[in-house]
Amino acid sequence: MNTKIWLSSPHMSGKEQDYINEAFNTNWIAPLGPNVTGFEKDIQSYLGENNHVAALSSGTAAIHLALILLNVQHGDEVLCQSKTFSASANPIVYQGAKPVFIDSERETWNLCPEQLERAIKDRISKGKTPKAIIAVHLYGMPYKVDEVHGLAKKYNIPVIEDSAEALGSTYKGQKCGTFGDISILSFNGNKIITTSGGGALVAKQKEIKDKAIFLSTQARDKDVAYLHSHIGYNYRMSNIVAGIGRGQMTVLDKHVELRRKNYDFYKNILEKTDTVTLLKEPESHFSNRWLSAILLESHESREALRLRFLEDNIETRPLWKPMHQQPVFKDCPSYLNGISNDLFDRGLCLPSGSNLTNQELDRIENVLNAFF
Ligand SMILES: *Cc1c(COP(=O)(O)O)cnc(C)c1O
């Protein structure tokens, strides 16, 4: 059996271990310490100094805190891109609020501005202005920022920018992770950089960052005794894990370059066939190409290709199953145009790690050439 080729696997720089050793040598084995603040600083320098960063235990925790900080409460409604990973939507339910799902548009596969406006108007006419919009840069491709944020402004609804997959991407030259009223990042094992597990909340105001840290460390009021006037969470990033993050920040740009090279590799092979559609970058969108994804002609051909890869021990994955199709969300309202269903039927994510070897790329190319 050939060795497994993963869809997207961790890729260390070699510097991570030094930061971890430093944590051990100084006994900072806790959810605080120099690596946590150092990692936050590194991200802040990368995104721009007016972005305030709180390092957390996961991207999911960051979305949960973002909802709390935007005062989303029991019975509220939150609009959420349907085509996404479930972690974008689950925290809405943690708050006792109701997700309302919005379909995608064809160009970026993200939030469709027309369906978004239709949903906002309809929810308002039913008596409830949505409390927030969760917009996702899927697979690293920036959503239509001007259109989505234009509507958010028009109806005065804050945006949580789910940039879990898009660190390193830009829109009109501005970095993803800096567009939201609150933005979130993820450093899970398969993301463009990883801390094994981890995430961050990015805010425009330092007070929001400070509040996020307060809530993520059990909401301890300033007092000698343990005094609590808020419900707290244990969501802070550990100092060990943050050491991995500091090492990873040194290679983020390199990873973007390598993942974009993977996309070009697939483009060169697949351009020749007229049965495959690649996700192209619209003008003003720059994708980190976290995952290279394609559309085939039909569900049947998508499955045939996926199984052909599997025979060779190569991992691929259908595009995210839309949230409005998930059993757990079956009672949620949704505003649909058929696009995310179609993408799910025909779409496939191809191996996209920044650590793919030439040998592995050859194996992938052989499968593609044999198939088409
Ligand atoms: C990975 C991911 C998350 C969740 O991040 P975790 O760090 O795994 O909790 C949220 N949204 C999207 C779109 C993701 O891909």
Side-chain angles (χ1 to χ4, degrees), residues 36-314:
V36 177
T37 38
F39 184 40
E40 288 176 340
K41 249 199 186 143
D42 292 345
I43 301 169
Q44 182 166 5
S45 321
Y46 184 81
L47 293 178
E49 291 302 329
N50 54 344
N51 297 284
H52 303 277
V53 180
L56 301 171
S57 55
S58 71
T60 311
I63 296 173
H64 189 194
L65 292 184
L67 291 165
I68 294 169
L69 292 164
L70 293 173
N71 199 27
V72 171
Q73 296 179 354
H74 189 89
D76 286 339
E77 292 187 353
V78 174
L79 306 178
C80 182
Q81 185 164 321
S82 186
K83 191 149 194 70
T84 186
F85 177 53
S86 62
S88 302
N90 285 337
I92 302 170
V93 181
Y94 304 168
Q95 280 308 94
K98 182 157 83 175
V100 175
F101 292 113
I102 315 290
D103 217 320
S104 294
E105 39 80 12
R106 286 258 171 229
E107 256 191 311
T108 73
W109 300 354
N110 293 312
L111 215 47
C112 169
E114 275 138 53
Q115 296 304 319
L116 178 62
E117 184 157 33
R118 185 165 80 88
I120 295 171
K121 283 183 171 161
D122 192 48
R123 298 328 287 176
I124 291 175
S125 80
K126 289 185 162 68
K128 252 187 191 157
T129 302
K131 282 297 269 292
I133 298 167
I134 299 178
V136 188
H137 308 294
L138 219 54
Y139 307 122
M141 179 62 75
Y143 58 79
K144 295 194 167 180
V145 174
D146 284 350
E147 289 85 341
V148 169
H149 288 254
L151 287 170
K153 207 167 199 174
K154 180 172 167 189
Y155 293 96
N156 200 20
I157 305 170
V159 176
I160 298 173
E161 179 197 10
D162 181 344
S163 197
E165 302 178 0
L167 186 57
S169 301
T170 67
Y171 175 84
K172 293 190 173 168
Q174 185 180 334
K175 290 203 166 77
C176 289
T178 68
F179 290 105
D181 292 274
I182 299 179
S183 304
I184 74 97
L185 305 171
S186 167
F187 311 110
N188 198 16
N190 59 356
K191 300 286 154 72
I192 190 151
I193 62 165
T194 180
T195 60
S196 69
L201 181 145
V202 184
K204 291 281 163 299
Q205 300 94 12
K206 176 145 186 318
E207 304 84 78
I208 301 285
K209 167 200 167 151
D210 292 341
K211 269 192 197 163
I213 292 177
F214 169 76
L215 291 171
S216 73
T217 51
Q218 310 286 21
R220 285 171 299 202
D221 292 343
K222 283 203 169 47
D223 194 88
V224 277
Y226 277 65
L227 179 71
H228 299 280
S229 47
H230 290 84
I231 292 293
Y233 300 85
N234 187 0
Y235 279 174
R236 193 71 163 130
M237 181 177 275
S238 127
N239 193 55
I240 307 291
V241 148
I244 308 177
R246 289 179 88 180
Q248 289 275 281
M249 280 306 285
T250 65
V251 286
L252 172 57
D253 287 336
K254 186 93 197 292
H255 285 194
V256 173
E257 199 184 307
L258 289 165
R259 293 209 182 226
R260 286 179 62 84
K261 245 172 92 179
N262 289 336
Y263 174 82
D264 290 337
F265 162 82
Y266 288 120
K267 183 164 157 256
N268 284 333
I269 299 170
L270 296 170
E271 250 175 357
K272 293 167 249 163
T273 78
D274 50 9
T275 55
V276 173
T277 312
L278 291 127
L279 178 59
K280 297 210 178 73
E281 276 169 333
E283 227 192 293
S284 62
H285 296 239
F286 176 90
S287 171
N288 67 6
R289 295 292 183 191
W290 173 57
L291 295 186
S292 289
I294 58 172
L295 295 183
L296 285 102
E297 271 187 317
S298 65
H299 180 69
E300 290 68 32
S301 54
R302 195 284 305 280
E303 276 305 281
L305 179 59
R306 188 178 68 79
L307 294 171
R308 180 64 197 76
F309 271 121
L310 204 58
E311 267 172 42
D312 208 48
N313 209 15
I314 297 171

